[in-house]
Amino acid sequence: MEPYDAFHAIDPFAAAASAFDRLTEVLAGPESAALSHHGLEDLIEVRGRELLRLLFQAHLDWRERQERDRTGQAGREVVRGVDGRVRPHREPGHSRRLACVFGTVTVTRTAWRGRSMTSVRPLDAYLSLPAGLHSHGLRRLAVAEAVRGSYDQAKEAIEGRCGKVLGKRQAECLVVAAARDIDSFYRQRVPLPATASTTLVLQVDGKGIAMRPEALRPATLKARPNTLRAMRTRLAPGEKPHRKRMAHAGLRFDADPAPRRPHDIIAPPNGRSGTRLPRPGPKARAKWLTGSVIHPPEHTIAAAFDQAEARDRDHARPWVVLVDGARHQLDLVQAEAGRRGVTVHALLDIVHVSEYIWAAAHCFHQAGTPAAEVWVAGHLTTILHGQAGRAAAEITAQAEHRGLLGAKREATDTCVRYLTGHLDQLHYDTALAKGWPIATGPIEGACRHLIGDRLEITGARWGLYGAEAVLKLRAVKDNGDLDAYFAYHLAREHQRLYLTTDQHDYDLPA
């Protein structure tokens, strides 16, 4: 292929036009007549990518020529830097490389200089060039691929489309840099309003991810070398490897009231008659997700409350917070609600409650038998009627009557302690009558999707900032805000690079 530079003095677009002509000649020639359709696809993909690169390069050269012609014909131009001082000397021919989705090109522009002053390059601002080698289009592609799969897969996908323009380590750095404006993006974003009768639901949960040693929390890192393992080749039951850090996820969504009865949740012990179908529960809509590995859980809870207040600034709607029973989590929710002066209705996830009931059932009946199922259905129905205290008393009385000892008595006592310790969060009768959700399925699914599907892939060991960036970008994508966020991020990048640094008082042609 003829070198591109040979055409520069004649016409910036001559090389691209020549490449197009040569490609059409090949496609119309005898050598392509024997190709299969997939052979033609490969040929056009490779030669077409080079054609696009030449077009991009030609436009950049044309812009540089327009800049030189403009500044040469207009006489003395006034160009100032951020310090307000004039750069009197014009020096054309400053070049830099730019890796883009078509390949690598060279950007040539004019620099304005002054004694003991930094150079000002106005064309950089007009093109909104990034600070590093990689274009914003390539950065966006790196983010799209990296949040979907591993960095090795992202590198392979980018090379297949763009050629060898990005390494694995560079992709990691680009993803971290791309996530820097997510918090400010959501602070300025105004969500759509909802009616006062619509329930505003908040859920929080966490999931551990494997980290590199330097990214662990201080207490976890300190415990690693001080833990004596019972066995050399594997962990004993109850032992922990001390290599994980908790990632926290928060969810806010709206739900229209859907009143139900206890038997809509739990089938009667003898089964449903079929004459009355179960009423459907409330459906989640207008979901908003967030997450963090760096920050403690109170930060994620505060972010979820921020989004909830943006949806209901006057606190006119019912606020329902669903938790899994962790006391620390519940205390943080209550503290945040008190700080904001909002009344929240905290409920335990009914699925977690049922797990404790099932564990107690196996102390009285053999696992997998209809008797155990009937026992669970009876007590869960009592709890759904808002009588958790009564259910706890009945379980205790039955354990004493059977004379349970050892592990079985401990299992029943654990269930009773769980119920009696959270009586204020077990008002399911009120929740069902008002049509509120009573399960944490949405946040459980969000944790599996945001954290498990990407941050827990086999063999992954995360650095702190890489994990934070991927988690937040996956949340933005799941919220449906990725396009809007990138537009905001690029505007902020331009402002950081140019509106606060290089300033000039003349216009170049577009």
Side-chain angles (χ1 to χ4, degrees), residues 260-269 272 278 377 381 384-385 432:
R260 290 175 291 171
R261 304 154 302 178
H263 284 172
D264 294 323
I265 312 298
I266 301 296
R272 301 186 187 278
T381 302
L384 289 170
H385 275 289
L432 293 177

Side-chain angles (χ1 to χ4, degrees), residues 379 387-400 416 419-420:
H379 285 295
Q387 301 177 25
R390 172 187 159 191
E394 291 176 352
I395 294 172
T396 300
Q398 189 174 2
E400 292 177 351
V416 169
L419 295 176
T420 57

Side-chain angles (χ1 to χ4, degrees), residues 169-480:
R169 183 63 61 187
Q170 292 170 320
E172 294 181 29
C173 294
L174 294 183
V175 169
V176 172
R180 65 184 301 184
D181 295 314
I182 292 177
D183 290 339
S184 60
F185 168 73
Y186 279 116
R187 280 195 295 268
Q188 58 83 41
R189 194 165 176 81
V190 179
L192 295 175
T195 62
S197 62
T198 303
T199 308
L200 200 158
V201 185
L202 291 91
Q203 298 180 359
V204 290
D205 203 356
K207 193 174 182 65
I209 59 175
M211 306 293 289
R212 298 172 188 155
E214 67 274 10
L216 295 171
R217 297 190 188 277
T220 308
L221 184 61
K222 183 179 179 181
R224 278 173 63 92
N226 296 331
T227 302
L228 295 177
R229 295 174 56 175
M231 295 185 290
R232 179 178 57 85
T233 56
R234 61 174 294 167
L235 295 175
E239 284 187 333
K240 294 184 179 181
H242 300 292
R243 60 182 178 87
K244 288 191 174 184
R245 183 179 178 122
M246 189 65 71
H248 301 280
L251 172 65
R252 183 269 299 153
F253 63 85
D254 294 340
D256 292 324
R260 290 175 291 171
R261 304 154 302 178
H263 284 172
D264 294 323
I265 312 298
I266 301 296
N270 297 325
R272 301 186 187 278
S273 63
T275 58
R276 182 179 292 177
L277 296 177
R279 298 176 184 176
K283 304 297 183 182
R285 56 181 177 83
K287 291 183 182 180
W288 179 85
L289 283 164
T290 187
S292 181
V293 182
I294 294 178
H295 300 292
E298 51 264 34
H299 180 274
T300 303
I301 291 172
F305 269 80
D306 286 340
Q307 283 296 312
E309 283 202 307
R311 297 282 291 177
D312 182 26
R313 297 189 182 279
D314 298 328
H315 303 166
R317 298 165 54 186
W319 289 39
V320 176
V321 179
L322 283 158
V323 295
D324 59 9
R327 178 56 60 182
H328 176 64
Q329 183 186 88
L330 186 59
D331 291 342
L332 291 176
V333 168
Q334 296 289 2
E336 189 66 28
R339 186 175 69 85
R340 298 171 185 262
V342 58
T343 300
V344 298
H345 305 277
L347 292 172
L348 289 191
D349 173 31
I350 188 61
V351 178
H352 281 78
V353 175
S354 68
E355 291 300 319
Y356 280 88
I357 299 298
W358 272 106
H362 294 155
C363 300
F364 301 103
H365 304 281
Q366 186 176 354
T369 60
E373 186 178 24
V374 170
W375 191 92
V376 169
H379 285 295
L380 281 180
T381 302
T382 300
I383 293 171
L384 289 170
H385 275 289
Q387 301 177 25
R390 172 187 159 191
E394 291 176 352
I395 294 172
T396 300
Q398 189 174 2
E400 292 177 351
H401 178 72
R402 289 283 189 91
L404 296 183
L405 299 173
K408 289 187 176 182
R409 184 56 190 262
E410 177 60 27
T412 58
D413 289 346
T414 299
C415 176
V416 169
R417 285 195 299 268
Y418 183 80
L419 295 176
T420 57
H422 296 91
L423 290 178
D424 291 339
Q425 294 84 47
L426 293 173
H427 296 299
Y428 294 123
D429 53 336
T430 301
L432 293 177
K434 293 188 175 182
W436 298 341
I438 59 173
T440 58
I443 191 63
E444 298 282 350
C447 279
R448 287 193 299 271
H449 169 64
L450 289 184
I451 303 172
D453 290 352
R454 177 62 181 93
L455 297 174
E456 286 194 312
I457 58 177
T458 303
R461 297 293 182 272
W462 290 93
L464 193 57
Y465 296 102
E468 181 82 355
V470 168
L471 177 57
K472 285 192 170 184
L473 286 167
R474 283 179 66 85
V476 172
K477 182 179 180 181
D478 203 63
N479 293 340

